[in-house]
Amino acid sequence: MTHPLDHLPSAQEVGTYDPETLTHNFSDLHPPLTPRQAMIESQRCLYCFDAPCVEACPSDIDIPSFIRQIGENNINGAAQTILEANILGGSCARVCPTEILCERSCVRNHDAECQPVLIGLLQRHATDHMQFESHPFKRGPTTGHHIAVVGAGPAGLSCAHRLAILGHQVTIFEAEQKPGGLNEYGIARYKMTDDFARKEVAFLLEIGGIDIQYGQRLGDNLDLATLHQRYDSVFLGLGLGASRAMGLTGEDAPGLIPAVDYIKPLRQTDDLGSLAVARRCIVIGAGNTAIDMATQMARLGATEVTLVYRRGVEAMSATDHEQEIAKANGVRMVTWAQPDEILRDEQGLVAGMRFARTAEQAGRLVPTGDTFEIAADAIFKAIGQGFDGASLSDATANELAREGERIQVNAFFRTSLPNVYAGGDCVNPGQDLTVQAVQHGKLAAHAIHQALAAKQEAA
Ligand code: SF4
């Protein structure tokens, strides 16, 4: 089967950017702090008692402590403080929307102070410059328990590392050929440079006792019944693998693909010039994936990138900061418009889209009756991901209680099946943040540990 974007020219053929500029376009979006800048920035922290920034951190990092350690030039100490709470603190420093989490809550975040303490950049400074002779966490005494973790994304990796600290043996089953989940395959390339996702996982695995089996996909060559039977506990850190459909005729038209299907090879390629580029493209959506897609297409050389969202900017899930990134890259934002019809040329290729203008009436989104068209060579949909139905199709997985389409868990990330836990995007209907997934995995590991210990005591 040919690829739906095979008819498009490559970035090199489009020729907007020479190879050197292309490489530059995908280098670090936010350059790291220099040691001197980090030292000066750390002095801005007031080391608040009951620090609001900690309250706002989904992974409970002791922010004032690590900033104080940076101020004392104790970089390893700062890194250890971060990693104790969040073993993926390096990638979270890069991808966390700090502007709506810790930095928004910082007491210095008001006009008289210019800006909040740059917590994200300080966290990155500590995790980028740590230099441990050996892995800074030790495995606890062996418990003899063996836990299966499904998915080597942030939730699964965090769970596995904590379980290893607690003395358990862990086997991770990963569908892809590399670990990292969205950190490896889904985040914009300019946010995760220099193969950082791979290096971070390599560091995490130094704890020992974690084995990863690749090419193992739940619902395909792996089933929950077998894992449930063979392992003492199972943690499901499943991603959302299926892209939602718009519900229009012709969604399989060449030129129309889910944004995640474009970003994945973009993250993996060694040759940016070889990627297909639409000179004019439309991105449908309002979240970070939509922004990442639109911005990356602009940085690859597209001359007209339009992001279309059915509501107003204030309802977009992408933060203001993300929206600014897109605008700074020349992305045009069109709001209050929803896809109405896919326009195709005589060969059946995508030629654009007709949109219906929308308005809100009594809290409901309704079409106004007006339509307009945007010409485009490609359309990327970033309207959310859902469960790949097959992943929970075996008889045991089918028994899992669901909340909407996601897996229902209690406060300890326990599912309705005994000894089966879940966390990350597959359970959280919230903001689907990496940092939340890390926290779920960590808390689930503690819950698994306590349940196994209680069972052992009772035996
Ligand atoms: Fe430091 Fe701001 Fe957190 Fe206070 S709220 S501890 S000033 S980072």
Side-chain angles (χ1 to χ4, degrees), residues 44-48 51-53 63-64 67 105-108 117 119:
R44 292 187 63 236
C45 179
L46 302 171
Y47 312 123
C48 309
C53 55
I63 294 166
I67 295 181
S105 300
C106 175
V107 297
R108 302 212 100 153
V117 175
I119 302 167

Side-chain angles (χ1 to χ4, degrees), residues 167-429:
H168 304 290
Q169 182 70 29
V170 183
T171 297
I172 304 182
F173 297 90
E174 167 57 41
E176 300 290 346
Q177 294 303 322
K178 288 183 181 179
L182 288 181
N183 281 355
E184 177 62 45
Y185 292 107
I187 304 277
R189 189 174 169 120
Y190 46 73
K191 291 180 186 166
M192 201 72 87
T193 55
D194 298 330
D195 216 4
F196 183 80
R198 186 191 58 76
K199 292 177 191 164
E200 188 176 48
V201 177
F203 163 76
L204 180 151
L205 294 177
E206 284 172 10
I207 183 91
I210 304 173
D211 165 53
I212 307 186
Q213 296 187 12
Y214 297 102
Q216 302 289 310
R217 192 179 292 276
L218 200 63
D220 181 359
N221 51 0
L222 192 66
D223 64 89
L224 187 57
T226 309
L227 296 179
H228 197 227
Q229 197 186 353
R230 288 196 187 152
Y231 293 87
D232 294 302
S233 282
V234 180
F235 175 76
L236 300 173
L238 308 173
L240 299 175
S243 297
R244 291 189 205 289
M246 292 185 288
L248 298 178
T249 310
E251 267 189 63
D252 56 349
L256 194 161
I257 65 165
V260 291
D261 290 357
Y262 188 88
I263 295 171
K264 193 172 171 184
L266 166 57
R267 280 295 309 274
Q268 300 299 311
T269 188
D270 291 328
D271 180 10
L272 289 165
S274 68
L275 292 168
V277 167
R279 287 187 173 87
R280 299 170 304 175
C281 74
I282 297 168
V283 178
I284 314 282
N288 286 349
T289 303
I291 297 281
D292 284 356
M293 181 67 230
T295 304
Q296 291 185 112
M297 196 41 77
R299 287 184 170 215
L300 280 168
T303 44
E304 213 181 284
V305 183
T306 310
L307 189 148
V308 186
Y309 178 44
R310 63 202 168 112
R311 293 182 185 273
V313 279
E314 61 292 341
M316 289 177 80
S317 60
T319 61
D320 292 351
H321 174 71
E322 291 287 328
Q323 292 176 37
E324 287 309 317
I325 293 171
K327 285 185 207 158
N329 282 275
V331 174
R332 183 168 71 111
M333 305 265 200
V334 175
T335 51
W336 298 109
Q338 67 186 16
D340 185 48
E341 188 185 340
I342 297 156
L343 307 175
R344 302 169 73 159
D345 65 13
E346 55 283 354
Q347 290 154 41
L349 306 174
V350 160
M353 184 164 255
R354 179 176 300 126
F355 291 91
R357 288 204 189 279
T358 54
E360 204 170 84
Q361 277 175 17
R364 290 191 55 218
L365 197 70
V366 291
T368 63
D370 286 345
T371 61
F372 65 95
E373 292 178 1
I374 299 176
D377 315 313
I379 300 170
F380 301 96
K381 54 176 180 169
I383 54 173
Q385 297 290 113
F387 254 125
D388 177 0
S391 63
L392 297 182
S393 59
D394 73 80
T396 307
N398 230 329
E399 287 173 32
L400 285 167
R402 307 281 277 269
E403 203 176 312
E405 67 169 350
R406 307 207 189 196
I407 301 168
Q408 190 186 77
V409 288
N410 68 8
F412 304 101
F413 298 93
R414 194 174 296 161
T415 69
S416 58
L417 288 178
N419 306 325
V420 178
Y421 297 72
D425 290 354
C426 65
V427 303
N428 183 11

